[in-house]
Amino acid sequence: MTGLPKTPSFRLDGKRALVAGASSGIGLACAAALGEAGAEVTLAARRADALEALVSDMTAAGMSASALPLDVADIAGTQAAIAENGPFDVLVNSAGLARHSPASETTEKDFDAVSDLNIKGAYFLTQAVAKGLIAAGKPGSLINISSQMAHVGGLDRAVYCATKHAVEGFTKSMAIEWGKAGIRVNTICPTFILTDLTRSTFDQPDKRAWIEDKIKLGRVGEVEDIMGAVQFLASDASSLVTGTALMIDGGWTAE
Ligand SMILES: NC(=O)C1=CN([C@@H]2O[C@H](COP(=O)(O)OP(=O)(O)OC[C@H]3O[C@@H](n4cnc5c(N)ncnc54)[C@H](OP(=O)(O)O)[C@@H]3O)[C@@H](O)[C@H]2O)C=CC1
Ligand SMILES: O=C(CO)[C@@H](O)[C@H](O)[C@@H](O)C(=O)O
């Protein structure tokens, strides 16, 4: 016997990771997952106090973390912050927002607010981190938190769905462009997960029943459901994975 193949490592020791949208919900969980795997994690979002609280929790748990207050919709400010604090080997972009209304009533203000963060902010944040890697001649793994709504429509969620479909488009295009440089670009597409973003949806009994019916595994998502996926996509365990969407939807889009 010549020896068994060895599973590539899920560890991230020596890697620098940036998590945008780390002050709550899915981003916070992703930051903890990356820290647990050994990465040095930079936590970005607008609320500096929430970031500092997470830095304290992660440090107390033996992880390496620091805060970088940042508005991802401020493109120039984000570019400057990444240039100053990078390069980052790993990006998880979980900064996002949603506004709900019938498509016939969407206002330009809501359209712009959701698009400016979910598409434009995500695009230029991903670009800024990639530019830092290219300049440093380093490989990397860039992950955008998209949504199952990038693959299906959602009643009263036309703008949000449009932005998440757009994220899938630029992710695939960037994956093609930067593949030879060893920079991988992927999305994670969660189903409904109880966070500040979805609380108002879950509070409506008819909406909760709709969600529970559509998720074939019979339970709603929790932030912990995203953590293993982030460790996988950030690490060498996924070194041939790029330009793809990892569905974490309990079977919603299988129907
Ligand atoms: N929860 C769910 O069911 C699902 C969520 N998603 C996606 O996951 C991502 C995270 O959502 P979730 O954790 O649920 O929501 P939360 O509202 O809990 O988290 C959103 C995060 O984004 C940050 N954020 C918002 N605006 C900005 C900004 N302009 N600049 C920087 N950071 C910003 C917030 O921090 P701060 O306010 O401090 O800036 C916060 O950390 C979103 O992209 C969402 O679309 C996808 C599928 C399902
Ligand atoms: O992406 C999501 C579910 O797959 C959620 O963030 C929402 O659609 C959210 O906007 C909601 O409807 O509560």
Side-chain angles (χ1 to χ4, degrees):
M1 198 161 115
T2 54
L4 293 171
K6 199 166 179 298
T7 307
S9 178
F10 282 66
R11 294 290 306 171
L12 296 168
D13 305 285
K15 303 287 185 195
R16 300 190 70 230
L18 174 68
V19 180
S23 58
S24 65
I26 292 171
L28 190 156
C30 290
L34 298 173
E36 215 179 285
E40 179 191 325
V41 189
T42 300
L43 312 168
R46 293 165 303 175
R47 284 171 292 159
D49 53 344
L51 296 178
E52 289 301 345
L54 180 56
V55 168
S56 297
D57 286 350
M58 289 179 67
T59 306
M63 301 174 193
S64 172
S66 59
L68 178 62
L70 191 66
D71 181 347
V72 172
D74 170 6
I75 307 300
T78 297
Q79 288 170 330
I82 303 307
E84 192 178 328
N85 294 280
F88 295 101
D89 307 287
V90 173
L91 166 69
V92 176
N93 176 31
S94 191
L97 66 86
R99 298 272 163 81
H100 303 148
S101 72
S104 54
E105 293 171 20
T106 304
T107 63
E108 186 178 356
K109 191 169 173 232
D110 279 353
F111 188 100
D112 285 346
V114 179
S115 304
D116 281 352
L117 181 61
N118 292 10
I119 304 178
K120 193 174 173 187
Y123 188 101
F124 284 102
L125 174 60
T126 312
Q127 182 202 60
V129 175
K131 279 171 101 166
L133 287 169
I134 290 164
K138 297 182 78 182
S141 175
L142 316 181
I143 304 161
N144 272 301
I145 306 299
S146 173
S147 170
Q148 67 179 15
M149 295 289 181
H151 301 270
V152 292
L155 188 64
D156 296 339
R157 287 156 176 79
V159 177
Y160 179 81
C161 283
T163 65
K164 295 301 185 178
H165 278 69
V167 169
E168 300 297 326
F170 77 67
T171 294
K172 288 179 197 163
S173 304
M174 290 173 174
I176 293 167
E177 183 175 327
W178 299 329
K180 292 286 191 296
I183 300 170
R184 300 185 292 110
V185 197
N186 293 289
T187 63
I188 289 176
C189 299
T191 188
F192 281 86
I193 291 185
L194 183 55
T195 65
D196 292 347
L197 185 75
T198 51
R199 204 167 308 282
S200 63
T201 300
F202 278 111
D203 283 348
Q204 301 168 60
D206 60 325
K207 293 288 185 317
R208 190 177 180 111
W210 168 63
I211 292 166
E212 285 172 349
D213 176 58
K214 294 285 281 183
I215 298 179
K216 299 309 167 208
L217 285 174
R219 70 167 174 86
V220 300
E222 296 168 358
V223 294
E224 287 82 356
D225 291 313
I226 313 301
M227 295 172 79
V230 154
Q231 288 183 348
F232 169 67
L233 284 179
S235 70
D236 289 346
S238 62
S239 64
L240 198 59
V241 180
T242 197
T244 198
L246 177 46
M247 309 304 298
I248 306 182
D249 67 353
W252 183 304
T253 59
E255 196 171 23

